[in-house]
């Protein structure tokens, strides 16, 4: 009997007609144009491979994925009882889907067998629920992908490293095969294509060719409208000067905006994996500008975008020619013997190495340190460990041996894969199927402004940190010193971000316990970038403060207190307590008595990979 209060009605004529009329002649013409543009895109991909400029490494990548998922399959299929359990679990899900679909076809009320997460933007179009065909596709996908992920999580007998890799690759495959990624199975893509008579596909494939050309044979996905931003024009515009330059870095000093400033200057050591201006985006988001406006004397390292000339620079050279040289120059410019230092991500790892090295030398110039999303212990370093086993590192080292560096595009691709559902597939759909330019977004413009990794430095980092975890084990040797973080007794402000895919908060928490002095562990909402770049004026996210850095992260979090808004003011209060003395700002003219080498943001940051 038909339910008069049916909450899942069959698709109406209006629903089915929502895709609109089609001009068959125009559609056919555009399909021909799309095929032509697709051929151009394919040629752009093949050309640099045919002339030897690009060597395909897809075989190694696919082999690693197949090998990892193969071990997972072997685990479940090697035991008949486990195999039956896996098959029964999947069959049960599809039986529920079959039952609910039959009920819905009969006009009865039917509870979905699987529903997407409310935060999942892929299935927000009403057709995914109102049209039974698309609803069936959606639920079948959700059942299958969740089943596959469950197999990984329940593979208790699988070696942890293989299980981690299998989990990563299963999630990549799951994100890739979503019906939202294909024209024939995405209702909004069908609607757009029919409404534009295929013109969207022509535009999309033109953009695809452009992005393959921009990547010199590899697809460089555009995530932002790059025409809207320029470094030094509307990004990285905080007034300052280049006060020193060597082959490894430019040292920037920013112009004071207050009548007096803290006597003790601060030195920011950003990651060289990305460019420093993530901390100096638009003026409204700039951490550097905010610091200057709070009365701080700010120095920032801007790393060179390395080429083959830097191939033999390792951690020792980056440390000595980066933060250690910066300390020398800050002393000459300001006359100060004490500095507060900030390190971000791998810049924080280098700063931690520097702290241990200086402690071994009896050098006390850095008197407090702040670490943003920084790991010093890499046992629980998250999904990046997938790319840091012996096989992967050997492949990376082989790649670097050809040119003396690891291409920035490959590093960017690895970071994007950590959040492929947000950073890859939506842009593939929007750009190359809808044919739409992405919206301007300063953070994603910066994200795409990739840097290269020098050969010796990157190899040292991958092996000593990710592969062997030598720093917290007291086995890392830099120069003539075996480093011991317990000798670092200065106060440390340790910031982790709760949704960090690069430096997970648990990993940061474990590393915070490796230092020998007082550590203030603070947890920010959001992720690796947005959790750090969170100006107070935006009144966004939150942060947590808890007890001492001891025991487990989970126990610390359970006892922590949530505070609304940005952590920046809490950090500033902590910093001022370390050294509250102030001096007139006119004593902090950039460069002091030296003639500056140019305006901030300098020249190194403008070099494209």
């Amino acid at each position: 009997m038909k339910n008069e209060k049916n909450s899942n009605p069959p698709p109406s004529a209006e629903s089915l007609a929502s895709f609109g009329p089609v001009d068959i002649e125009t559609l056919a013409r555009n399909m021909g144009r799309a095929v032509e543009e697709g051929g151009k895109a394919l040629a752009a991909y093949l050309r640099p491979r045919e002339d030897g400029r690009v060597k395909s490494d897809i075989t190694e990548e696919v082999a690693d994925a197949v090998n990892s998922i193969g071990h997972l399959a072997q685990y479940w299929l090697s035991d008949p009882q486990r195999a039956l359990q896996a098959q029964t679990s999947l069959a049960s899900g599809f039986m529920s889907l079959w039952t609910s679909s039959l009920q819905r076809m009969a006009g009865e009320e039917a509870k979905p067998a699987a529903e997407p997460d409310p935060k999942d933007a892929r299935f927000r179009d009403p057709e995914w629920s109102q049209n039974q065909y698309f609803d069936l596709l959606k639920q079948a996908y959700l059942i299958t992908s969740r089943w596959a992920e469950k197999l990984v999580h329940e593979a208790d007998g699988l070696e942890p490293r293989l299980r981690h890799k299998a989990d990563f690759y299963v999630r990549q495959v799951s994100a890739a095969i979503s019906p939202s990624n294909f024209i024939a199975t995405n209702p909004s893509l069908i609607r757009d294509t029919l409404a534009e008579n295929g013109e969207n596909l022509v535009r999309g494939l033109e953009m695809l060719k452009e992005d393959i050309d921009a990547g010199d044979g590899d697809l460089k996905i555009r995530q932002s409208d790059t025409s809207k931003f320029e470094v030094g024009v509307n990004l990285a515009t905080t007034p300052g000067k280049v006060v020193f330059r060597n082959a490894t870095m430019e040292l920037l000093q920013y112009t004071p905006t207050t009548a007096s400033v803290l006597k003790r200057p601060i030195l920011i050591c950003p990651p060289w994996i990305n460019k420093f201006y993530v901390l100096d985006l638009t003026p409204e988001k700039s951490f550097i500008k905010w610091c200057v406006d709070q009365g701080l004397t700010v120095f920032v390292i801007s790393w060179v975008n390395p080429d083959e000339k830097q191939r033999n620079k390792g951690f020792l050279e980056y440390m000595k020619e980066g933060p250690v040289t910066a300390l020398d120059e800050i002393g000459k410019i300001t006359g100060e013997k004490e500095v507060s230092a900030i390190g971000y991500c791998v810049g924080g790892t280098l700063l931690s190495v520097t702290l241990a090295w200086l402690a071994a030398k009896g050098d006390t110039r850095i008197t407090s340190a702040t670490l943003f999303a920084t790991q010093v212990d890499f046992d629980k370093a998250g999904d990046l460990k997938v790319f840091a086993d012996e096989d992967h590192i050997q492949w990376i080292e082989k790649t670097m041996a050809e040119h003396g560096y690891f291409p920035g595009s490959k590093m960017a691709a690895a970071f994007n894969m950590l959040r492929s559902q947000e950073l890859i597939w939506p842009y593939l759909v929007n750009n190359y199927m809808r044919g739409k330019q992405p919206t301007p977004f300063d953070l994603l413009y910066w994200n795409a402004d990739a840097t290269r990794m020098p050969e010796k430095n990157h190899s040292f980092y991958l092996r000593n940190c990710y592969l062997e975890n030598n720093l917290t084990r007291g086995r890392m040797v830099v120069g003539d010193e075996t480093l011991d973080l317990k000798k670092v007794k200065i106060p440390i402000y340790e910031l982790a971000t709760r949704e960090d895919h690069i430096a997970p908060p648990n990993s940061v928490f474990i590393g915070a316990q490796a230092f020998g002095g007082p550590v203030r562990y603070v947890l920010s909402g959001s992720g690796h970038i947005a959790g750090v770049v969170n100006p107070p004026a935006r009144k966004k996210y939150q942060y947590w403060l808890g007890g001492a850095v001891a025991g487990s992260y989970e126990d610390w979090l359970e006892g922590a207190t949530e505070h609304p808004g940005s952590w920046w003011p809490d950090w500033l209060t902590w910093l001022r307590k370390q050294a509250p003395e102030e001096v007139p700002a006119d004593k902090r003219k950039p460069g002091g008595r030296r003639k500056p080498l140019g305006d901030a943001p300098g020249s190194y940051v403008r070099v494209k990979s």
Side-chain angles (χ1 to χ4, degrees):
M1 180 178 178
K2 184 176 180 179
N3 188 335
E4 296 297 326
K5 296 182 179 180
N6 182 11
S7 62
N8 291 292
S12 63
E14 290 80 7
S15 173
L16 294 174
S18 66
F19 298 113
V22 181
D23 182 335
I24 299 299
E25 182 178 345
T26 303
L27 178 62
R29 183 169 61 251
N30 282 333
M31 288 300 101
R33 292 174 60 200
V35 170
E36 181 181 353
E37 293 300 329
K40 293 178 182 177
L42 179 60
Y45 174 81
L46 293 176
R47 191 178 304 113
R49 287 163 174 79
E50 291 172 346
D51 61 24
R53 285 185 291 122
V54 173
K55 295 183 180 179
S56 178
D57 49 25
I58 191 170
T59 303
E60 289 84 353
E61 294 171 353
V62 171
D64 189 51
V66 170
N67 181 58
S68 301
I69 296 176
H71 277 93
L72 177 66
Q74 183 180 18
Y75 171 81
W76 284 99
L77 296 175
S78 62
D79 184 320
Q81 186 173 353
R82 278 203 300 261
L84 179 61
Q85 175 188 344
Q87 293 168 13
T88 302
S89 175
L90 182 61
S92 175
F94 274 96
M95 283 298 297
S96 297
L97 176 58
W98 179 250
T99 301
S100 66
S101 297
L102 288 177
Q103 289 176 323
R104 185 170 176 179
M105 288 177 65
E108 300 177 8
E109 184 175 354
K111 182 179 179 180
E115 295 186 82
D117 188 299
K119 297 179 181 179
D120 192 338
R122 296 175 296 177
F123 303 110
R124 287 180 182 167
D125 190 290
E127 293 287 344
W128 286 112
S129 299
Q130 295 173 4
N131 187 305
Q132 193 165 345
Y133 167 71
F134 295 113
D135 188 38
L136 181 69
L137 287 174
K138 175 191 70 179
Q139 292 190 63
Y141 163 74
L142 292 173
I143 289 169
T144 305
S145 59
R146 289 169 181 172
W147 169 79
E149 291 172 9
K150 183 181 177 183
L151 290 186
V152 178
H153 298 155
E154 295 182 354
D156 297 326
L158 205 60
E159 194 268 320
R161 182 183 63 85
L162 287 173
R163 186 176 172 184
H164 184 191
K165 295 181 74 171
D167 177 60
F168 177 79
Y169 286 121
V170 163
R171 283 186 279 116
Q172 299 305 312
V173 172
S174 175
I177 65 173
S178 170
S180 60
N181 296 336
F182 304 95
I183 294 175
T185 55
N186 185 328
S188 62
L189 283 177
I190 294 175
R191 186 185 303 113
D192 288 352
T193 301
L194 296 181
E196 297 193 49
N197 296 306
E199 185 70 34
N200 56 307
L201 301 180
V202 178
R203 292 195 309 270
L205 288 166
E206 288 174 347
M207 291 167 62
L208 179 63
K209 177 190 178 298
E210 292 171 3
D211 291 353
I212 293 174
D213 282 335
D216 195 24
D218 291 325
L219 178 59
K220 184 178 181 180
I221 303 173
R222 64 181 82 182
Q223 298 171 325
S224 174
D225 185 350
T226 58
S227 66
K228 304 300 183 183
F229 298 107
E230 184 178 348
V231 173
V233 176
N234 55 4
L235 296 175
T237 59
T238 302
K241 300 292 182 180
V242 179
V243 296
F244 176 81
R245 180 186 296 122
N246 61 23
T248 302
M249 62 100 177
E250 288 182 327
L251 184 64
L252 312 179
Q253 183 185 358
Y254 291 89
T255 305
T257 59
T258 54
S260 61
V261 296
L262 283 183
K263 186 173 185 291
R264 182 188 293 176
I266 65 170
L267 168 65
I268 299 178
C269 182
W272 57 86
I273 288 176
N274 299 105
K275 295 181 179 179
F276 84 90
Y277 68 91
V278 67
L279 296 175
D280 191 23
L281 293 168
T282 59
E284 297 78 19
K285 294 181 182 178
S286 173
F287 176 76
I288 290 172
K289 181 181 185 302
W290 183 85
C291 287
V292 172
D293 290 344
Q294 305 311 305
L296 303 180
T297 300
V298 181
F299 291 84
V300 177
I301 290 172
S302 175
W303 299 105
V304 70
N305 194 353
D307 55 25
E308 63 277 0
K309 293 191 295 293
Q310 282 83 21
R311 71 184 309 158
N312 292 320
K313 290 185 182 291
F315 246 58
L316 176 65
E317 288 75 21
Y318 263 65
M319 180 186 70
K320 285 188 172 182
E321 297 175 21
V324 173
T325 294
L327 291 175
D328 297 338
E329 298 306 316
I330 291 171
K332 295 173 185 176
I333 292 170
T334 67
E336 298 297 328
K337 297 180 180 179
E338 294 185 352
V339 173
S340 295
I342 298 174
Y344 191 173
C345 188
V346 67
T349 306
L350 178 65
L351 175 59
S352 300
V353 166
T354 304
L355 293 174
W357 189 82
L358 292 175
K361 299 290 187 183
D363 189 325
T364 60
R365 284 179 291 176
I366 297 180
T367 49
S368 74
T370 300
L371 302 175
F372 297 162
T374 292
Q375 296 179 103
V376 293
D377 186 286
F378 292 78
D379 182 56
K380 299 185 182 299
D383 285 341
L384 274 177
K385 292 193 76 172
V386 170
F387 304 107
D389 60 10
E390 182 61 41
D391 290 340
H392 261 102
I393 292 176
Q394 286 187 14
W395 169 75
I396 290 171
E397 289 174 337
K398 181 181 177 182
T399 301
M400 292 190 295
E402 296 180 19
H403 306 289
Y405 57 82
F406 192 61
S409 59
K410 294 187 182 298
M411 182 61 69
F415 280 122
N416 285 339
M417 285 181 70
L418 299 183
R419 295 175 55 200
S420 61
Q421 193 166 305
E422 294 92 21
L423 294 177
I424 295 179
W425 294 106
Y427 294 100
L428 290 177
V429 171
N430 181 78
N431 300 356
Y432 311 128
M433 298 182 200
R434 298 191 197 281
K436 294 182 178 180
Q437 279 276 5
T439 57
F441 188 14
D442 53 1
L443 193 56
L444 288 177
Y445 175 90
W446 164 84
N447 186 58
D449 193 4
T451 57
R452 297 176 286 263
M453 305 295 109
E455 180 180 358
K456 185 177 178 181
N457 181 298
H458 200 45
S459 178
F460 181 94
Y461 175 56
L462 291 176
R463 290 192 172 278
N464 277 268
C465 294
Y466 279 94
L467 188 63
E468 300 170 4
N469 197 20
N470 284 334
L471 183 54
T472 53
R473 294 176 180 176
R475 300 188 314 213
M476 181 180 284
V477 178
V478 176
D480 57 351
E481 296 291 346
T482 300
L483 304 181
D484 181 1
L485 290 178
K486 287 297 180 185
K487 293 182 179 179
V488 178
K489 307 290 186 180
I490 63 173
I492 291 177
Y493 190 101
E494 184 92 53
L495 179 79
T497 60
R498 191 162 188 175
E499 299 170 20
D500 202 327
H501 293 73
I502 296 171
N506 185 26
S507 179
V508 175
F509 186 85
I510 292 170
Q513 300 178 54
F515 294 98
V519 176
R520 182 179 179 84
Y521 181 85
V522 180
L523 180 66
S524 171
S526 195
H528 192 73
I529 304 299
V532 175
V533 184
N534 184 26
R538 300 181 74 190
K539 298 180 180 179
K540 201 172 182 181
Y541 308 126
Q542 69 279 84
Y543 64 97
W544 288 263
L545 299 174
V549 182
S552 71
Y553 165 74
E554 291 74 17
D555 289 343
W556 182 92
L557 185 59
E558 185 177 347
T561 302
E562 181 177 337
H563 298 266
S566 174
W567 55 270
W568 291 11
D570 177 76
W571 168 77
L572 184 63
T573 299
W574 174 87
L575 185 73
R576 285 186 177 277
K577 285 182 179 179
Q578 309 304 318
E581 185 179 354
E582 297 187 358
V583 296
D586 58 13
K587 293 186 177 181
R588 293 296 165 83
K589 178 184 176 182
R593 295 181 179 180
R594 299 180 182 178
K595 182 179 179 180
L597 303 179
D599 292 330
S603 59
Y604 282 3
V605 72
R606 302 176 194 270
V607 177
K608 299 291 185 180
S609 294

